[in-house]
Amino acid sequence: QPELGKPMRNCYSLPGPGFTYGIHMHKRDGGVPEAIGHWDSVKAKPRKRIMPRDFVAMGRAAVDEGCTTARQFALYYKYTDIRCKDKGILRYGGKVPPGMTFGRPPRPSTPFFDLMQHRYKELWMEEQRARTVVQHVVKKKIGEVRGNRTTFLRTHPRPVKEESFWHPQRFEKVWAPHNPSPDQRQLFWAP
């Protein structure tokens, strides 16, 4: 039963003052006075990350060495260990290579002297002149009349065929008179 004039309690009681919410860290749990007094800096130990083997590079190196059979390749892979390069070297506590900069490289500065002398205009005008010359040459080539078979035969006549006087026997016409005489009939028509 709820107490008279008070809301009903439907929650749990909170833990005591010695209870820590979240993860209790022994090394850094000194509160505000420790944070203000001195910085507790922990040096991160870089873990050496073992990269997988680079079989493409090992295969190329094996071919350069003269390996041709599967056994030779297996022996080469056994005694040679080439690993993939770590592309995320800065993520895992590695040192920055010398001369490396982050971000986009700056745009090269515009030479102000060239702007004053209208150099860019002159370069653009030269490009336009060269383009018009090329277009004129292409247009001239297009304007030429294309030759067809008739014009080709007019300029290059066919060679004249030599007359052949020899004909096969079966294609020769046999002379037969319309009204043969009795002597001729005996030659052509046997009884």
Side-chain angles (χ1 to χ4, degrees), residues 109-117 120:
S109 61
T110 306
F112 195 71
F113 193 69
D114 289 345
L115 285 175
M116 294 293 289
Q117 289 188 336
Y120 297 107

Side-chain angles (χ1 to χ4, degrees), residues 2-15:
E3 296 179 27
L4 187 63
K6 291 185 178 179
M8 190 170 133
R9 295 182 180 178
N10 56 359
C11 57
Y12 299 103
S13 59
L14 295 175

Side-chain angles (χ1 to χ4, degrees), residues 16-138:
F19 181 77
T20 305
Y21 293 95
I23 300 172
H24 181 73
M25 298 181 72
H26 295 284
K27 196 162 195 175
R28 297 186 180 191
D29 195 20
V32 176
E34 186 179 338
I36 291 173
H38 66 279
W39 293 102
D40 187 16
S41 60
V42 179
K43 292 183 179 177
K45 294 179 182 176
R47 288 184 296 142
K48 186 152 188 180
R49 191 164 162 230
I50 299 172
M51 297 298 292
R53 296 178 84 183
D54 190 1
F55 286 100
V56 175
M58 287 196 311
R60 285 184 189 142
V63 169
D64 290 341
E65 290 293 324
C67 297
T68 53
T69 63
R71 177 172 165 69
Q72 291 173 347
F73 272 94
L75 288 172
Y76 188 84
Y77 290 161
K78 186 177 180 182
Y79 294 110
T80 306
D81 189 22
I82 300 174
R83 298 282 173 172
C84 293
K85 292 179 181 169
D86 190 4
K87 293 181 181 173
I89 192 166
L90 298 176
R91 244 183 280 157
Y92 301 104
K95 291 186 177 179
V96 179
M100 182 176 180
T101 55
F102 293 95
R104 294 175 61 186
R107 203 173 68 107
S109 61
T110 306
F112 195 71
F113 193 69
D114 289 345
L115 285 175
M116 294 293 289
Q117 289 188 336
H118 303 289
R119 174 122 177 92
Y120 297 107
K121 182 190 117 184
E122 295 297 327
L123 291 172
W124 184 80
M125 291 294 286
E126 287 176 14
E127 287 177 9
Q128 295 303 317
R129 287 187 199 114
R131 184 180 293 172
T132 54
V133 167
V134 169
Q135 287 176 352
H136 185 67
V137 168
V138 169

Side-chain angles (χ1 to χ4, degrees), residues 127-166:
E127 287 177 9
Q128 295 303 317
R129 287 187 199 114
R131 184 180 293 172
T132 54
V133 167
V134 169
Q135 287 176 352
H136 185 67
V137 168
V138 169
K139 199 170 188 181
K140 199 178 212 182
K141 284 184 180 177
I142 291 173
E144 294 174 359
V145 178
R146 258 180 84 189
N148 54 12
R149 184 173 170 81
T150 307
T151 57
F152 179 77
L153 289 175
R154 282 183 191 153
T155 55
H156 302 87
R158 289 185 175 181
V160 180
K161 287 186 178 179
E162 294 181 11
E163 186 66 33
S164 175
F165 295 108
W166 179 83

Side-chain angles (χ1 to χ4, degrees), residues 161-183:
K161 287 186 178 179
E162 294 181 11
E163 186 66 33
S164 175
F165 295 108
W166 179 83
H167 298 289
Q169 186 80 28
R170 60 184 177 177
F171 293 123
E172 288 188 6
K173 290 184 178 179
V174 179
W175 179 80
H178 294 294
N179 293 326
S181 64
D183 297 334

